[in-house]
Amino acid sequence: MRVSRFLLSTVKETPADAEVISHQLMLRAGMIRKLAAGLYTWLPLGLRVLRKVEAIVREEMDRAGAQEVLMPAVQPAELWQESGRWNQYGAELLRIKDRHHREFCFGPTHEEVITDVIRREIRSYKQLPANFYQIQTKFRDETRPRFGVMRAREFIMKDAYSFHLDLASLQETYDLMHSTYSRIFTCLGLQFRAVEADTGSIGGRSSHEFHVLADSGEDAIAFCDTCDYAANVEMAVSRLPAPSHEAVRAKEKVTTPGIRTVDEQATMLGISHERIVKSIVVMADDKPAVFFICGSDDLNTIKAAHALGAITLRLAEAAEVLAVTGAPVGFVGPLNLPATLTVIVDSQAAQTHNFSSGANQVDYHWINLNWGVDVPLPTVADVRSVCIGEQCPRCDGHLSIRRGIEVGHIFQLGTKYSQALNATCLDEQGKATVMTMGCYGIGVSRIVASAIEQNNDAQGIIWPNSIAPFHVALLPMNMHKSYRVREAAEKLYDELCAAGIEVLFDDRKERPGVMFADMELIGIPYRLVLGERGLDEGVIEYKERRTNTGQNIGLADVVAFMQAQLTQ
Ligand code: ATP
Ligand code: MG
């Protein structure tokens, strides 16, 4: 490709509204342009990278025996009503009406559509297992679209759905997808980690997320420094410390005027945060519930929702806390709460002796409360978030926490959708059986941004070879003044192209500095500089973007040399 014929829209200034490096660099390199919040146009440079990611994903899915399909982006409401998600999905679902006032949505995911297709197409167990995938545009009306294509509203996903006669067959395909995803992210040149994950609103049995490790990641992932335990902090667990066998003291009510926070309580009462049991009032599916956790801990809202079997969960407003418990925020405690309230105590807080907590009365707390002595022990569940350094649940190692960007997610759905949509097939005995399903997503457009998060420097992007928009930047110096340079550059360009190498040939009338800066910004892995002096010696100057090292190469050897670099 000649730069003179290519829309190279590089920008020097860092765009003001781009918070993360990948978003800044994608705009500066001229890969994407914003149309509206969460909606982006892929310019030619960006699209070349996106297509390479797609190609790797497609190749590996095909290798794993999945069959490609393409489903409509617009989906009829009736299917979503059949699965029950029309009402559950909430504001992320973009609902639209056609000219006949029929309701549709713009698909955020395709479980309903594929299940509808398969219930019509597959009749017999002999056609199973089967795995279908597509690479397609999704729309989710995200609360906070941000970081460019990383959390967009319209984005490209590879989604796959597998169908089985039984769970054993699902497990096989699930394991195959797990290893296929590992191959994909390895091919893409990314540092990643597979972690145990929550099944979220799609629902189902077990699930793993694939995370690209990067400080800008929106997710926190916990992993053991010794064994291979790794989980999203949304569901990570740690081993409980051994319970202490402290003597029970007599409870005492103390005045604590204006003392509402755990810090204030600890200072005034001269006790550690671990000895404080704090209350957190929530509204789960619009019903109130109270959680009690240690003062030093954070309530994990995902675990909390699971503990209640709720779909939505939010912290209660101050007025709701008062209405529900009879006490204002800061003074709610387990003793003498209204008996009808749902109360859950975290497993660690349940082990605490002689603790302090609110007295359900303004400006009063109890000290030396004990479960089972002063207050009956409520339902116990693990609802806290793990912290760095805690013990691994599987071995004697300790947990570290790092940030990750979720680029893939695999689920064992079970019969959630096939049951609702009555997707059955005949088993060996000729009996109609509800099919078992798995689903497997990859954020194709998000991968482009995550790759940049892991591969950049002060000059710009450094593409891994597998997804670079071009392999080589061919930069002739002052070609417009030198016939020799032009002739040699044109010849080399033809030879490299003929060898299947993707070359960006900078034939602009630009100063060398401008060319170098542009090629570094857009991240081309290899650079070849051709000038009068080199021609005198019969060499070209070669440089690697990642290591910033290079050497002179004989003109006759360039093609073979570049081929060798690219097949490394
Ligand atoms: P997240 O927690 O980041 O919102 P999710 O759990 O909603 O992701 P899935 O429903 O599992 O995502 O979708 C499959 C993949 O699609 C994700 O792993 C992610 O890589 C990608 N993805 C999801 N939402 C977006 C988005 N708003 N923009 C870009 N990619 C996305
Ligand atoms: Mg989401």
Side-chain angles (χ1 to χ4, degrees), residues 471-491:
H471 301 133
V472 179
L474 178 60
L475 310 181
M477 300 292 98
N478 299 314
M479 179 172 95
H480 298 271
K481 290 186 201 142
S482 163
Y483 178 73
R484 281 174 75 210
V485 172
R486 170 187 290 269
E487 197 185 37
E490 290 283 356
K491 181 160 173 278

Side-chain angles (χ1 to χ4, degrees), residues 89 92 108-109 111 138 140 142 145-146 148-159 181 198-202 209-210 218-219 232 234 405-411 439-447 450:
Y89 215 91
E92 245 185 52
T109 175
E111 283 80 9
K138 302 278 184 268
R140 295 181 181 180
E142 298 274 353
R146 59 193 181 138
V149 299
M150 192 103 89
R151 182 165 296 286
R153 293 198 294 170
E154 191 178 301
F155 60 96
I156 312 262
M157 195 199 285
K158 184 286 294 174
D159 44 331
Y181 274 34
D198 178 58
T199 47
S201 73
I202 294 188
E209 286 169 356
F210 287 76
E218 290 183 289
D219 281 271
N232 193 310
E234 288 178 346
I405 303 168
E406 183 196 317
V407 286
H409 202 167
I410 58 177
F411 292 80
C439 82
Y440 319 92
I442 285 189
V444 173
S445 43
R446 183 181 282 183
I447 283 175
S450 341

